[in-house]
PDB file of all heavy atoms in Angstrom:
ATOM      1  N   LYS I 129      54.366-128.446 -87.454  1.00 98.00           N
ATOM      2  CA  LYS I 129      55.487-129.237 -86.944  1.00 98.00           C
ATOM      3  C   LYS I 129      55.470-129.237 -85.421  1.00 98.00           C
ATOM      4  O   LYS I 129      55.272-128.197 -84.797  1.00 98.00           O
ATOM      5  CB  LYS I 129      56.831-128.674 -87.416  1.00 98.00           C
ATOM      6  CG  LYS I 129      57.080-128.831 -88.885  1.00 98.00           C
ATOM      7  CD  LYS I 129      58.468-128.355 -89.262  1.00 98.00           C
ATOM      8  CE  LYS I 129      58.721-128.567 -90.744  1.00 98.00           C
ATOM      9  NZ  LYS I 129      60.086-128.226 -91.108  1.00 98.00           N
ATOM     10  N   ASN I 130      55.681-130.426 -84.846  1.00 98.00           N
ATOM     11  CA  ASN I 130      55.837-130.608 -83.396  1.00 98.00           C
ATOM     12  C   ASN I 130      54.624-130.121 -82.614  1.00 98.00           C
ATOM     13  O   ASN I 130      54.749-129.552 -81.538  1.00 98.00           O
ATOM     14  CB  ASN I 130      57.109-129.913 -82.893  1.00 98.00           C
ATOM     15  CG  ASN I 130      57.573-130.455 -81.552  1.00 98.00           C
ATOM     16  OD1 ASN I 130      57.419-131.638 -81.281  1.00 98.00           O
ATOM     17  ND2 ASN I 130      58.134-129.599 -80.718  1.00 98.00           N
ATOM     18  N   PHE I 131      53.430-130.358 -83.140  1.00 98.00           N
ATOM     19  CA  PHE I 131      52.197-129.912 -82.493  1.00 98.00           C
ATOM     20  C   PHE I 131      51.317-131.110 -82.167  1.00 98.00           C
ATOM     21  O   PHE I 131      50.861-131.812 -83.068  1.00 98.00           O
ATOM     22  CB  PHE I 131      51.450-128.932 -83.386  1.00 98.00           C
ATOM     23  CG  PHE I 131      50.178-128.411 -82.795  1.00 98.00           C
ATOM     24  CD1 PHE I 131      50.203-127.611 -81.662  1.00 98.00           C
ATOM     25  CD2 PHE I 131      48.964-128.705 -83.372  1.00 98.00           C
ATOM     26  CE1 PHE I 131      49.027-127.120 -81.116  1.00 98.00           C
ATOM     27  CE2 PHE I 131      47.785-128.217 -82.838  1.00 98.00           C
ATOM     28  CZ  PHE I 131      47.817-127.424 -81.706  1.00 98.00           C
ATOM     29  N   ARG I 132      51.142-131.369 -80.898  1.00 97.00           N
ATOM     30  CA  ARG I 132      50.296-132.438 -80.374  1.00 97.00           C
ATOM     31  C   ARG I 132      50.632-133.783 -81.016  1.00 97.00           C
ATOM     32  O   ARG I 132      51.686-134.320 -80.745  1.00 97.00           O
ATOM     33  CB  ARG I 132      48.829-132.070 -80.499  1.00 97.00           C
ATOM     34  CG  ARG I 132      48.506-130.827 -79.668  1.00 97.00           C
ATOM     35  CD  ARG I 132      47.067-130.512 -79.629  1.00 97.00           C
ATOM     36  NE  ARG I 132      46.849-129.317 -78.801  1.00 97.00           N
ATOM     37  CZ  ARG I 132      45.693-128.726 -78.708  1.00 97.00           C
ATOM     38  NH1 ARG I 132      44.641-129.193 -79.351  1.00 97.00           N
ATOM     39  NH2 ARG I 132      45.574-127.654 -77.945  1.00 97.00           N
ATOM     40  N   SER I 133      49.803-134.345 -81.869  1.00 97.00           N
ATOM     41  CA  SER I 133      50.087-135.667 -82.446  1.00 97.00           C
ATOM     42  C   SER I 133      50.948-135.587 -83.706  1.00 97.00           C
ATOM     43  O   SER I 133      51.264-136.613 -84.297  1.00 97.00           O
ATOM     44  CB  SER I 133      48.776-136.389 -82.775  1.00 97.00           C
ATOM     45  OG  SER I 133      48.067-135.688 -83.777  1.00 97.00           O
ATOM     46  N   ILE I 134      51.344-134.397 -84.105  1.00 97.00           N
ATOM     47  CA  ILE I 134      52.131-134.204 -85.327  1.00 97.00           C
ATOM     48  C   ILE I 134      53.593-134.027 -84.935  1.00 97.00           C
ATOM     49  O   ILE I 134      53.939-133.094 -84.217  1.00 97.00           O
ATOM     50  CB  ILE I 134      51.605-133.003 -86.127  1.00 97.00           C
ATOM     51  CG1 ILE I 134      50.127-133.243 -86.469  1.00 97.00           C
ATOM     52  CG2 ILE I 134      52.438-132.783 -87.375  1.00 97.00           C
ATOM     53  CD1 ILE I 134      49.376-132.025 -86.890  1.00 97.00           C
ATOM     54  N   SER I 135      54.448-134.912 -85.422  1.00 97.00           N
ATOM     55  CA  SER I 135      55.853-134.935 -84.996  1.00 97.00           C
ATOM     56  C   SER I 135      56.636-133.729 -85.521  1.00 97.00           C
ATOM     57  O   SER I 135      56.135-132.940 -86.328  1.00 97.00           O
ATOM     58  CB  SER I 135      56.515-136.228 -85.468  1.00 97.00           C
ATOM     59  OG  SER I 135      56.725-136.188 -86.859  1.00 97.00           O
ATOM     60  N   ALA I 136      57.890-133.651 -85.097  1.00 97.00           N
ATOM     61  CA  ALA I 136      58.776-132.566 -85.526  1.00 97.00           C
ATOM     62  C   ALA I 136      59.113-132.670 -87.008  1.00 97.00           C
ATOM     63  O   ALA I 136      59.564-131.693 -87.605  1.00 97.00           O
ATOM     64  CB  ALA I 136      60.044-132.562 -84.683  1.00 97.00           C
ATOM     65  N   ASP I 137      58.919-133.845 -87.611  1.00 97.00           N
ATOM     66  CA  ASP I 137      59.115-133.986 -89.060  1.00 97.00           C
ATOM     67  C   ASP I 137      58.097-133.154 -89.822  1.00 97.00           C
ATOM     68  O   ASP I 137      58.358-132.705 -90.924  1.00 97.00           O
ATOM     69  CB  ASP I 137      59.004-135.445 -89.483  1.00 97.00           C
ATOM     70  CG  ASP I 137      60.127-136.292 -88.927  1.00 97.00           C
ATOM     71  OD1 ASP I 137      61.202-135.733 -88.616  1.00 97.00           O
ATOM     72  OD2 ASP I 137      59.932-137.512 -88.806  1.00 97.00           O
ATOM     73  N   GLY I 138      56.943-132.980 -89.243  1.00 97.00           N
ATOM     74  CA  GLY I 138      55.943-132.080 -89.786  1.00 97.00           C
ATOM     75  C   GLY I 138      54.921-132.722 -90.690  1.00 97.00           C
ATOM     76  O   GLY I 138      55.051-133.861 -91.132  1.00 97.00           O
ATOM     77  N   LEU I 139      53.903-131.938 -90.949  1.00 96.00           N
ATOM     78  CA  LEU I 139      52.807-132.317 -91.829  1.00 96.00           C
ATOM     79  C   LEU I 139      52.520-131.124 -92.710  1.00 96.00           C
ATOM     80  O   LEU I 139      52.302-130.017 -92.218  1.00 96.00           O
ATOM     81  CB  LEU I 139      51.558-132.674 -91.003  1.00 96.00           C
ATOM     82  CG  LEU I 139      50.260-132.860 -91.765  1.00 96.00           C
ATOM     83  CD1 LEU I 139      50.332-134.124 -92.624  1.00 96.00           C
ATOM     84  CD2 LEU I 139      49.092-132.939 -90.806  1.00 96.00           C
ATOM     85  N   GLY I 140      52.551-131.336 -93.994  1.00 96.00           N
ATOM     86  CA  GLY I 140      52.206-130.282 -94.939  1.00 96.00           C
ATOM     87  C   GLY I 140      50.957-130.660 -95.703  1.00 96.00           C
ATOM     88  O   GLY I 140      50.864-131.769 -96.230  1.00 96.00           O
ATOM     89  N   LEU I 141      49.994-129.774 -95.726  1.00 94.00           N
ATOM     90  CA  LEU I 141      48.762-129.999 -96.472  1.00 94.00           C
ATOM     91  C   LEU I 141      48.664-128.966 -97.579  1.00 94.00           C
ATOM     92  O   LEU I 141      48.810-127.769 -97.326  1.00 94.00           O
ATOM     93  CB  LEU I 141      47.541-129.874 -95.564  1.00 94.00           C
ATOM     94  CG  LEU I 141      47.437-130.845 -94.396  1.00 94.00           C
ATOM     95  CD1 LEU I 141      46.249-130.479 -93.511  1.00 94.00           C
ATOM     96  CD2 LEU I 141      47.285-132.253 -94.903  1.00 94.00           C
ATOM     97  N   ALA I 142      48.437-129.424 -98.788  1.00 93.00           N
ATOM     98  CA  ALA I 142      48.237-128.518 -99.916  1.00 93.00           C
ATOM     99  C   ALA I 142      46.754-128.530-100.276  1.00 93.00           C
ATOM    100  O   ALA I 142      46.142-129.596-100.383  1.00 93.00           O
ATOM    101  CB  ALA I 142      49.071-128.961-101.102  1.00 93.00           C
ATOM    102  N   PHE I 143      46.187-127.353-100.438  1.00 90.00           N
ATOM    103  CA  PHE I 143      44.779-127.223-100.773  1.00 90.00           C
ATOM    104  C   PHE I 143      44.646-126.828-102.238  1.00 90.00           C
ATOM    105  O   PHE I 143      45.392-125.990-102.732  1.00 90.00           O
ATOM    106  CB  PHE I 143      44.115-126.163 -99.891  1.00 90.00           C
ATOM    107  CG  PHE I 143      44.147-126.490 -98.432  1.00 90.00           C
ATOM    108  CD1 PHE I 143      45.125-125.957 -97.607  1.00 90.00           C
ATOM    109  CD2 PHE I 143      43.205-127.336 -97.874  1.00 90.00           C
ATOM    110  CE1 PHE I 143      45.163-126.260 -96.257  1.00 90.00           C
ATOM    111  CE2 PHE I 143      43.236-127.644 -96.526  1.00 90.00           C
ATOM    112  CZ  PHE I 143      44.217-127.109 -95.718  1.00 90.00           C
ATOM    113  N   ALA I 144      43.690-127.427-102.913  1.00 90.00           N
ATOM    114  CA  ALA I 144      43.436-127.091-104.314  1.00 90.00           C
ATOM    115  C   ALA I 144      42.921-125.659-104.398  1.00 90.00           C
ATOM    116  O   ALA I 144      41.999-125.280-103.679  1.00 90.00           O
ATOM    117  CB  ALA I 144      42.427-128.058-104.913  1.00 90.00           C
ATOM    118  N   THR I 145      43.529-124.868-105.246  1.00 87.00           N
ATOM    119  CA  THR I 145      43.128-123.458-105.352  1.00 87.00           C
ATOM    120  C   THR I 145      41.891-123.263-106.227  1.00 87.00           C
ATOM    121  O   THR I 145      41.302-122.192-106.205  1.00 87.00           O
ATOM    122  CB  THR I 145      44.287-122.618-105.914  1.00 87.00           C
ATOM    123  OG1 THR I 145      44.690-123.168-107.171  1.00 87.00           O
ATOM    124  CG2 THR I 145      45.465-122.623-104.945  1.00 87.00           C
ATOM    125  N   ASP I 146      41.520-124.294-106.965  1.00 91.00           N
ATOM    126  CA  ASP I 146      40.349-124.177-107.825  1.00 91.00           C
ATOM    127  C   ASP I 146      39.107-124.830-107.221  1.00 91.00           C
ATOM    128  O   ASP I 146      38.096-124.990-107.888  1.00 91.00           O
ATOM    129  CB  ASP I 146      40.639-124.779-109.197  1.00 91.00           C
ATOM    130  CG  ASP I 146      40.975-126.257-109.118  1.00 91.00           C
ATOM    131  OD1 ASP I 146      41.346-126.728-108.038  1.00 91.00           O
ATOM    132  OD2 ASP I 146      40.866-126.944-110.152  1.00 91.00           O
ATOM    133  N   GLN I 147      39.162-125.193-105.938  1.00 89.00           N
ATOM    134  CA  GLN I 147      38.040-125.828-105.259  1.00 89.00           C
ATOM    135  C   GLN I 147      37.554-124.936-104.118  1.00 89.00           C
ATOM    136  O   GLN I 147      38.320-124.171-103.547  1.00 89.00           O
ATOM    137  CB  GLN I 147      38.464-127.188-104.687  1.00 89.00           C
ATOM    138  CG  GLN I 147      38.954-128.173-105.731  1.00 89.00           C
ATOM    139  CD  GLN I 147      37.851-128.640-106.652  1.00 89.00           C
ATOM    140  OE1 GLN I 147      36.732-128.904-106.226  1.00 89.00           O
ATOM    141  NE2 GLN I 147      38.156-128.725-107.943  1.00 89.00           N
ATOM    142  N   ASN I 148      36.284-125.063-103.787  1.00 88.00           N
ATOM    143  CA  ASN I 148      35.700-124.265-102.717  1.00 88.00           C
ATOM    144  C   ASN I 148      35.610-125.011-101.395  1.00 88.00           C
ATOM    145  O   ASN I 148      35.168-124.449-100.404  1.00 88.00           O
ATOM    146  CB  ASN I 148      34.299-123.792-103.109  1.00 88.00           C
ATOM    147  CG  ASN I 148      34.360-122.764-104.214  1.00 88.00           C
ATOM    148  OD1 ASN I 148      35.283-121.977-104.277  1.00 88.00           O
ATOM    149  ND2 ASN I 148      33.382-122.789-105.104  1.00 88.00           N
ATOM    150  N   ALA I 149      35.992-126.278-101.371  1.00 89.00           N
ATOM    151  CA  ALA I 149      35.877-127.068-100.157  1.00 89.00           C
ATOM    152  C   ALA I 149      37.052-128.029-100.039  1.00 89.00           C
ATOM    153  O   ALA I 149      37.680-128.391-101.035  1.00 89.00           O
ATOM    154  CB  ALA I 149      34.573-127.855-100.159  1.00 89.00           C
ATOM    155  N   ALA I 150      37.330-128.408 -98.817  1.00 89.00           N
ATOM    156  CA  ALA I 150      38.362-129.410 -98.539  1.00 89.00           C
ATOM    157  C   ALA I 150      37.828-130.321 -97.448  1.00 89.00           C
ATOM    158  O   ALA I 150      37.046-129.894 -96.599  1.00 89.00           O
ATOM    159  CB  ALA I 150      39.658-128.752 -98.096  1.00 89.00           C
ATOM    160  N   ALA I 151      38.245-131.566 -97.482  1.00 92.00           N
ATOM    161  CA  ALA I 151      37.818-132.537 -96.474  1.00 92.00           C
ATOM    162  C   ALA I 151      39.046-133.150 -95.821  1.00 92.00           C
ATOM    163  O   ALA I 151      40.031-133.452 -96.493  1.00 92.00           O
ATOM    164  CB  ALA I 151      36.965-133.620 -97.114  1.00 92.00           C
ATOM    165  N   ILE I 152      38.975-133.313 -94.521  1.00 93.00           N
ATOM    166  CA  ILE I 152      40.025-134.003 -93.775  1.00 93.00           C
ATOM    167  C   ILE I 152      39.415-135.320 -93.320  1.00 93.00           C
ATOM    168  O   ILE I 152      38.472-135.332 -92.527  1.00 93.00           O
ATOM    169  CB  ILE I 152      40.509-133.169 -92.579  1.00 93.00           C
ATOM    170  CG1 ILE I 152      41.061-131.838 -93.067  1.00 93.00           C
ATOM    171  CG2 ILE I 152      41.548-133.931 -91.787  1.00 93.00           C
ATOM    172  CD1 ILE I 152      41.403-130.868 -91.973  1.00 93.00           C
ATOM    173  N   VAL I 153      39.945-136.410 -93.844  1.00 95.00           N
ATOM    174  CA  VAL I 153      39.377-137.723 -93.598  1.00 95.00           C
ATOM    175  C   VAL I 153      40.447-138.634 -93.020  1.00 95.00           C
ATOM    176  O   VAL I 153      41.584-138.626 -93.490  1.00 95.00           O
ATOM    177  CB  VAL I 153      38.830-138.332 -94.913  1.00 95.00           C
ATOM    178  CG1 VAL I 153      38.232-139.706 -94.672  1.00 95.00           C
ATOM    179  CG2 VAL I 153      37.818-137.401 -95.552  1.00 95.00           C
TER     180      VAL I 153
END
């Protein structure tokens, strides 16, 4: 929340617990 290009409304990312990799696209 409120970090550089991310507003005070925030950004939440959930990662799959059964996967070994994640991609940000």
Side-chain angles (χ1 to χ4, degrees):
K129 291 185 178 185
N130 200 34
F131 181 66
R132 297 187 179 172
S133 64
I134 302 163
S135 73
D137 294 336
L139 170 69
L141 299 174
F143 298 97
T145 56
D146 61 340
Q147 300 292 319
N148 290 326
I152 300 173
V153 180

